[in-house]
Amino acid sequence: MKADKRFLVLLLAACLMLLPFLGLTDYHTKGEPRESIVAYSMLESGNWILPENNGGDMAYKPPFFHWMITLFSVVGGAVSEYSSRLPSAVALIVMVVVGYLFFARRRGKEEALLMGLITLTNFEVHRAGFACRVDMVLTACIVLALYALYCWWERGLKGIPWLAALLMGCATLTKGPVGFLLPCMVGGLFLWMREGSFWRAFWKMALAGGISCVLPALWYVAAYQQGGEEFMALVMEENLHRFVGKMSYASHENPISYNFISVIAGYVPYTLLALLALPLMKFARPKFDLKAWWERTKEYFRTMDPARLFALLSILVIFVFYCIPKSKRSVYLLPIYPFIALFLAEWMLSMYRNRNRALKWFGALMAGLNLLLLAVFAVVRMGWIPESLFGGRHGAENWAMVQALEQASIPFWGWIVILLPAALALWMVVRVLRSGDYRRILVTTIASVALLFVSLDGVYQPTVLNVKSDKQMAADVAEFVPEGPIYSYVSADMLRFYVVNFYTDNRVLLFEREQPESGYLLIGRKDAEQFLPTQLERYTFEQVYESTKRGCDVKDIIRLYRFNLK
């Protein structure tokens, strides 16, 4: 059988964009080491159900994502930045190529290929594919489960949708009940609209959803046996209370408008294409006839191609669902991004067929951004940026980032990554954009976007973001405490020294919980001024270290004290 060249192109593009650069950036936010240390604890303790981590905490999410990190880390020899981000990258690659196979049969290979490339090269999805967070694995499981449910419908709903149930079970084991609720809601509404029977749609989705809960239920029972009421309280907090807005703490509370802004911002740079196309669009004068509008809408949905209808319902149902809870984050909406990409691909193909000038403008903009990025980098490397430009609260940190770019030792492959986007941009400006060949403009524009991400991921971002990391601070602390526990205190609830804990091999414990007789205490400067005076009746403290920059977890200068019980 002849190989599908478009499939191979998409698979190669996905692998080259993601896999080489996963381990280049050190942990510099609390989210990534908080997740990876759970996998570290699994390997260290042998407890794959509910291991303690970060000084005795329970993981906030179910363990499927952490199991994946653990398995990749066993192959790699240790939990690392690369192995902990690999599940997200693999999930994105699988989601993209399976999406191509799914829509190639139903919407054509050209549209499916462009959909896959757009999914890879929008900001929100691309960022999630590089992160040691549960969101990309959850997204892939939900999207793949939706594809499997659609295939079940195509088979006449015969038999049991084992694949869809397994994928929904994995999604539930990644982040809780949304893993099966969202696919079942989309699938149920689709069945109801296509077949007209609410109860048939309801019991079919209830069957699929019920089967998908078997594996997660086994884990929840085992976890409850270990964690008891504390575990159940955490489950209620992270699922029911988060959804109804009754959490014990404020968590990403935002208005409904936040979701619209998130999608617009998350789909950069393609939202720029929409802005460029606006002046060329023709709008009919609106007619305020609600009945006629409703009839047209019903007819549109009734006659829509089923694959397009399924994609549209996936967008609408998931988006509306996440407008209900007070807690809103941009990553919650990730499952709608591949389906939005389908409609974007359809629109961009019509633009090149109709020779829409906005496509050429968008290509020129992407070429200009790549050239501008190289020009700014050249100015920085020549030392032409004065320190006086950086003032204010974060001035020292921003200047340190500029110096990192200026002084970075860049390998040969790094220079290729830097210069290739600019070379393509020059070729676009000199040859492609002048040619009037809109198909070539479309292809080179997508390639230009992809290379922009590659240059950012391969050189610019690691160089800049590693300045923010506490990895060097952890090494400094380890010199004072080469083995044994490092005690810590953070006044803010649910906050820990996540980065330092990871880079000191999970040795950071909680001072108040352990009540040790002697040792070393890691604490922020402001916390030290408030907390240490309350402990002077029992302990003596001697400062032995102070960081030269603010810690990336607690946003303060970090101190290390040697202490002893009086």
Side-chain angles (χ1 to χ4, degrees):
M1 186 170 64
K2 192 173 181 180
D4 186 338
K5 293 182 179 179
R6 291 183 177 87
F7 173 84
L8 295 177
V9 166
L10 184 59
L11 176 61
L12 183 63
C15 291
L16 290 178
M17 286 186 67
L18 295 170
L19 298 182
F21 311 121
L22 290 175
L24 297 180
T25 305
D26 298 332
Y27 290 145
H28 59 279
T29 63
K30 63 179 181 290
E32 289 193 291
R34 184 180 61 196
E35 302 298 342
S36 64
I37 207 68
V38 178
Y40 191 104
S41 300
M42 287 179 174
L43 287 173
E44 190 176 47
S45 67
N47 184 346
W48 287 51
I49 302 298
L50 199 66
E52 290 187 350
N53 57 87
N54 292 307
D57 294 341
M58 292 181 185
Y60 293 101
K61 301 294 185 291
F64 182 69
F65 176 68
H66 310 115
W67 290 345
M68 292 182 68
I69 296 175
T70 304
L71 291 174
F72 284 130
S73 299
V74 168
V75 174
V79 179
S80 64
E81 296 93 340
Y82 191 96
S83 67
S84 64
R85 291 168 181 149
L86 192 54
S88 296
V90 170
L92 176 53
I93 292 169
V94 172
M95 183 182 75
V96 165
V97 297
V98 172
Y100 168 82
L101 295 173
F102 180 84
F103 283 108
R105 287 182 51 199
R106 297 163 179 86
R107 299 294 302 162
K109 294 181 179 180
E110 192 174 44
E111 186 173 318
L113 173 62
L114 187 53
M115 168 203 168
L117 292 172
I118 292 172
T119 304
L120 273 174
T121 55
N122 68 76
F123 171 76
E124 193 68 62
V125 173
H126 191 80
R127 178 178 65 165
F130 266 83
C132 173
R133 302 298 295 268
V134 301
D135 305 292
M136 195 67 248
V137 171
L138 173 70
T139 297
C141 289
I142 288 175
V143 171
L144 296 177
L146 287 168
Y147 294 154
L149 287 174
Y150 185 91
C151 293
W152 184 41
W153 170 75
E154 287 184 322
R155 298 194 302 269
L157 303 176
K158 295 177 181 178
I160 297 175
W162 293 110
L163 180 58
L166 176 62
L167 289 164
M168 288 190 289
C170 291
T172 304
L173 275 172
T174 301
K175 205 174 180 179
V178 293
F180 73 87
L181 282 174
L182 291 177
C184 287
M185 289 168 64
V186 174
L189 182 58
F190 176 77
L191 288 180
W192 186 17
M193 293 183 68
R194 296 299 297 184
E195 301 193 359
S197 172
F198 173 82
W199 291 112
R200 175 174 164 80
F202 178 82
W203 80 260
K204 286 290 185 181
M205 289 302 108
L207 171 67
I211 295 172
S212 73
C213 290
V214 173
L215 288 178
L218 295 176
W219 174 78
Y220 276 101
V221 170
Y224 177 72
Q225 290 175 344
Q226 289 190 26
E229 292 304 317
E230 183 182 355
F231 168 73
M232 285 305 301
L234 180 62
V235 170
M236 296 296 290
E237 179 90 347
E238 287 296 312
N239 294 283
L240 180 61
H241 295 167
R242 181 180 292 275
F243 186 78
V244 299
K246 294 186 177 181
M247 298 185 72
S248 60
Y249 61 96
S251 175
H252 308 289
E253 293 185 1
N254 290 292
I256 291 176
S257 58
Y258 173 86
N259 282 351
F260 290 93
I261 296 170
S262 293
V263 175
I264 292 171
Y267 244 105
V268 169
Y270 297 100
T271 45
L272 300 176
L273 174 60
L275 290 175
L276 293 172
L278 277 176
L280 302 178
M281 292 181 180
K282 296 179 180 179
F283 298 96
R285 180 177 297 178
K287 298 179 181 179
F288 297 99
D289 188 339
L290 185 61
K291 183 178 180 181
W293 173 83
W294 177 245
E295 292 300 322
R296 288 196 303 271
T297 301
K298 288 197 299 183
E299 181 66 13
Y300 177 76
F301 278 96
R302 189 184 67 81
T303 59
M304 184 182 287
D305 172 80
R308 292 182 77 241
L309 174 62
F310 191 76
L312 181 58
L313 291 178
S314 298
I315 296 170
L316 295 176
V317 170
I318 295 172
F319 186 88
V320 170
F321 177 87
Y322 280 119
C323 286
I324 298 171
K326 287 184 178 180
S327 179
K328 297 177 181 68
R329 294 182 62 213
S330 60
V331 292
Y332 294 170
L333 298 171
L334 279 169
I336 73 176
Y337 276 68
F339 301 106
I340 294 176
L342 177 72
F343 291 99
L344 273 175
E346 184 180 296
W347 179 50
M348 291 178 73
L349 288 173
S350 71
M351 292 181 80
Y352 104 74
R353 289 167 185 153
N354 295 320
R355 301 175 64 83
N356 191 313
R357 287 173 293 163
L359 188 59
K360 181 183 288 189
W361 298 342
F362 182 58
L365 177 60
M366 290 300 100
L369 285 175
N370 276 313
L371 292 172
L372 177 63
L373 185 61
L374 179 61
V376 171
F377 180 65
V379 169
V380 171
R381 293 292 287 189
M382 292 176 186
W384 292 352
I385 305 295
E387 185 178 358
S388 58
L389 288 179
F390 301 92
R393 183 180 178 186
H394 303 298
E397 295 175 12
N398 294 332
W399 174 242
M401 294 179 186
V402 172
Q403 286 184 306
L405 278 175
E406 180 183 340
Q407 300 167 9
S409 177
I410 299 174
F412 177 75
W413 64 264
W415 286 109
I416 294 176
V417 166
I418 289 171
L419 296 175
L420 194 58
L424 176 62
L426 285 173
W427 185 57
M428 288 177 66
V429 171
V430 174
R431 296 291 300 274
V432 177
L433 296 175
R434 294 181 177 182
S435 68
D437 185 341
Y438 276 77
R439 185 181 186 86
R440 182 181 289 183
I441 290 171
L442 176 60
V443 171
T444 54
T445 298
I446 296 296
S448 184
V449 175
L451 289 177
L452 176 62
F453 277 108
V454 167
S455 64
L456 290 171
D457 299 328
V459 176
Y460 298 122
Q461 287 188 157
T463 303
V464 169
L465 295 179
N466 287 350
V467 173
K468 297 175 61 179
S469 176
D470 288 348
K471 185 176 183 178
Q472 182 57 51
M473 184 194 305
D476 295 340
V477 170
E479 290 186 6
F480 289 95
V481 196
E483 59 184 20
I486 303 167
Y487 299 100
S488 68
Y489 174 81
V490 182
S491 60
D493 291 338
M494 302 173 66
L495 189 58
R496 307 284 186 259
F497 288 100
Y498 296 110
V499 177
V500 174
N501 188 33
F502 177 84
Y503 287 118
T504 54
D505 301 324
N506 196 28
R507 294 192 288 131
V508 178
L509 303 179
L510 303 181
F511 181 86
E512 288 188 300
R513 182 177 296 177
E514 301 296 328
Q515 292 292 304
E517 293 185 358
S518 62
Y520 288 83
L521 173 65
L522 196 67
I523 189 170
R525 183 169 56 188
K526 293 179 182 177
D527 279 345
E529 294 170 355
Q530 299 293 324
F531 178 71
L532 296 190
T534 67
Q535 303 296 312
L536 292 179
E537 291 185 4
R538 298 187 62 205
Y539 294 97
T540 60
F541 295 93
E542 177 191 0
Q543 181 179 329
V544 296
Y545 169 79
E546 182 172 279
S547 65
T548 57
K549 71 176 190 65
R550 299 191 313 156
C552 57
D553 285 322
V554 301
K555 309 301 181 186
D556 195 8
I557 297 297
I558 308 303
R559 291 175 176 174
L560 185 68
Y561 289 86
R562 183 188 295 115
F563 66 88
N564 287 281
L565 195 65
K566 287 184 177 178

